Every structure is written in structure tokens, then in C-alpha cells.
Amino acid sequence: MIYSKEVEMMCPVHQGVHHGAAPIPEEANWVQPKEVKDISAFTHGVGWCAPQQGACKLTLNVKNGIIQEALVETLGCSGMTHSAAMASEILPGLTILEALNTDLVCDAINTAMRELFLQIVYGRSQSAFSEDGLPIGAGLEDLGKGNRSQIGTMYGTLEKGPRYMEMTEGYITDLALDEDDEIIGYKYVNFGRMMDFIKAGDDANTAYEKAKGQYGRVADAVRCIDPRKE
């Protein structure tokens, strides 16, 4: 250790009471973290790229400082999906400190990792008060039916009004309108369920029909329109 001349010339003064790190809640315990291996948590975070053209929702399950599970969901940038594929391979097995300093290719994923790191090390995790935390696999519970990301895509113009494109339920096929041309419901196809039906042996048309659904007062509609064409 190298000290400056000014410090070398100082007389020693005894350090007073030091209680160590403030305890943080981890999996229903209060822990005073001193090393990376002291950290366990399950939590989520959102990141964005520098030009803010896309975003990433990152979910991590950390046990004793090691990332055991990672769910990477991206939106708005085609290249980001390929970066997410790499991140899903890179992250499991790393310590949270290694992951913070790992090039995850995409700015949005890197930013999400930073935000999660802050949550985890300050004890602001989803599993903070869950005994033994959440099991590996809990990240999949964030996904919709058929293990697809839950996405809402809406579009609107002053001239032509709103268009619902996709809801948590699925891909919107029709908007139900009343006599004032206001939306009172919609029809949808759940692609996750549709693929499950196809994998179970149904032909595509049968699976498509079985995966259909509707929400709202569709039966009262004066007319239905295709939100992507009409």
C-alpha cells in the first residue's frame, strides 16, 4: 500500500464504533452483505438504449450471488432480439458483479442489468420477504399462455382514432364498434395457445379457431373492423 507523505506524517487515531453494512431483506431474512455470495434475490428491471429506440425487461433469480435464471424480453429493435439470445446464454452462472461488468451487446440489456443490480444489492427485490425466495423457473410465470411475452401494442391518430393491435390475450383480429364508432370490444387470437394446439396434433385451421376469443360487448357491435386494414 502506498501512502502520500501527508498521510505518513499523520498520527494514528482509533476508529470508533463501526456496525458494518446496514442489513437488507433477503428471502425473509435480514442479511448484512459483505461479499457477492451474500446476495440472493429474484427481481425485475427495465433498461433502454442510448437513442431510446428500444427497451428490455430483464428478470433474474440470484442464489448466493450466482445468477441461476434469466428471462430477457425486448421490444422495439430487431437487433436487440439477437442480443437477448446471447444474454440468455451469458448471464446464468455469472455472479451479479460479473454480469454488471459483462458486455451484453445491447445498451438496453446492459442498462436493465444495472437497474437490477441496484435493486438487488439494496434489498428491493420481489423475493425480499419470501421464505427461501422463489424457485428456479419463477421467471416463466411472467409470461403469458404458451410462454409468450405479454405485449400491448396500440396505435392512434387524430384523424382516424385508435387501433388496438395486440393485448395480453393475443393478436387483435377485429375491433367491435357501436353506433358512434366507439370501441366496445375486440376479438383476438392467442398465438401461444394456437401453437400449443398445433403441437398437440391439431391442424392449423382447427388450432386457429380454438385459440380465438373475445372481450367486451362484441355481441352488441354495429360492425367490426380489422384494425390493420380498415
Side-chain angles (χ1 to χ4, degrees):
M1 192 73 67
I2 300 174
Y3 293 94
S4 68
K5 277 290 183 184
E6 291 80 6
V7 173
E8 283 184 346
M9 297 296 292
M10 293 177 181
C11 64
V13 175
H14 181 68
Q15 189 175 4
V17 175
H18 180 59
H19 296 293
I24 62 173
E26 285 186 24
E27 302 187 342
N29 291 302
W30 288 98
V31 177
Q32 283 186 294
K34 296 180 180 180
E35 301 178 31
V36 170
K37 64 182 177 64
D38 296 330
I39 299 294
S40 294
F42 177 93
T43 197
H44 320 267
V46 175
W48 54 94
C49 60
Q52 299 192 16
Q53 293 176 333
C56 166
K57 179 191 171 191
L58 180 62
T59 301
L60 296 181
N61 202 343
V62 180
K63 302 290 186 183
N64 301 318
I66 306 293
I67 296 172
Q68 301 291 334
E69 174 186 19
L71 171 65
V72 191
E73 300 176 87
T74 60
L75 174 70
C77 171
S78 57
M80 195 185 299
T81 59
H82 297 275
S83 299
M86 294 179 66
S88 69
E89 293 190 47
I90 292 169
L91 287 171
L94 298 184
T95 69
I96 56 171
L97 186 58
E98 287 176 310
L100 183 65
N101 290 288
T102 296
D103 181 9
L104 300 174
V105 185
C106 168
D107 276 351
I109 303 174
N110 281 314
T111 304
M113 184 62 230
R114 181 195 70 196
E115 297 301 307
L116 257 73
F117 182 88
L118 293 174
Q119 291 181 33
I120 291 168
V121 298
Y122 282 109
R124 271 71 170 180
S125 68
Q126 181 176 324
S127 61
F129 300 102
S130 301
E131 190 171 357
D132 296 325
L134 297 181
I136 311 305
L140 291 176
E141 294 178 8
D142 269 10
L143 300 178
K145 290 184 174 64
N147 285 346
R148 297 187 78 241
S149 295
Q150 300 186 71
I151 297 172
T153 306
M154 313 299 160
Y155 177 74
T157 61
L158 180 61
E159 180 69 21
K160 300 297 183 179
R163 297 292 188 277
Y164 300 172
M165 304 289 192
E166 185 143 359
M167 294 276 196
T168 297
E169 296 100 317
Y171 176 96
I172 306 302
T173 58
D174 298 271
L175 294 180
L177 307 180
D178 65 10
E179 60 274 5
D180 298 318
D181 283 337
E182 293 183 353
I183 299 171
I184 59 173
Y186 52 83
K187 298 178 183 178
Y188 62 85
V189 175
N190 188 306
F191 284 151
R193 294 185 63 196
M194 180 177 168
M195 291 306 300
D196 286 342
F197 290 139
I198 290 174
K199 287 186 286 186
D202 288 341
D203 63 82
N205 288 331
T206 300
Y208 177 79
E209 292 299 324
K210 289 172 68 174
K212 281 183 176 181
Q214 63 183 46
Y215 179 83
R217 296 188 294 118
V218 176
D220 298 332
V222 172
R223 64 184 176 124
C224 290
I225 65 169
D226 182 336
R228 292 168 175 79
K229 293 183 179 179
E230 297 177 73

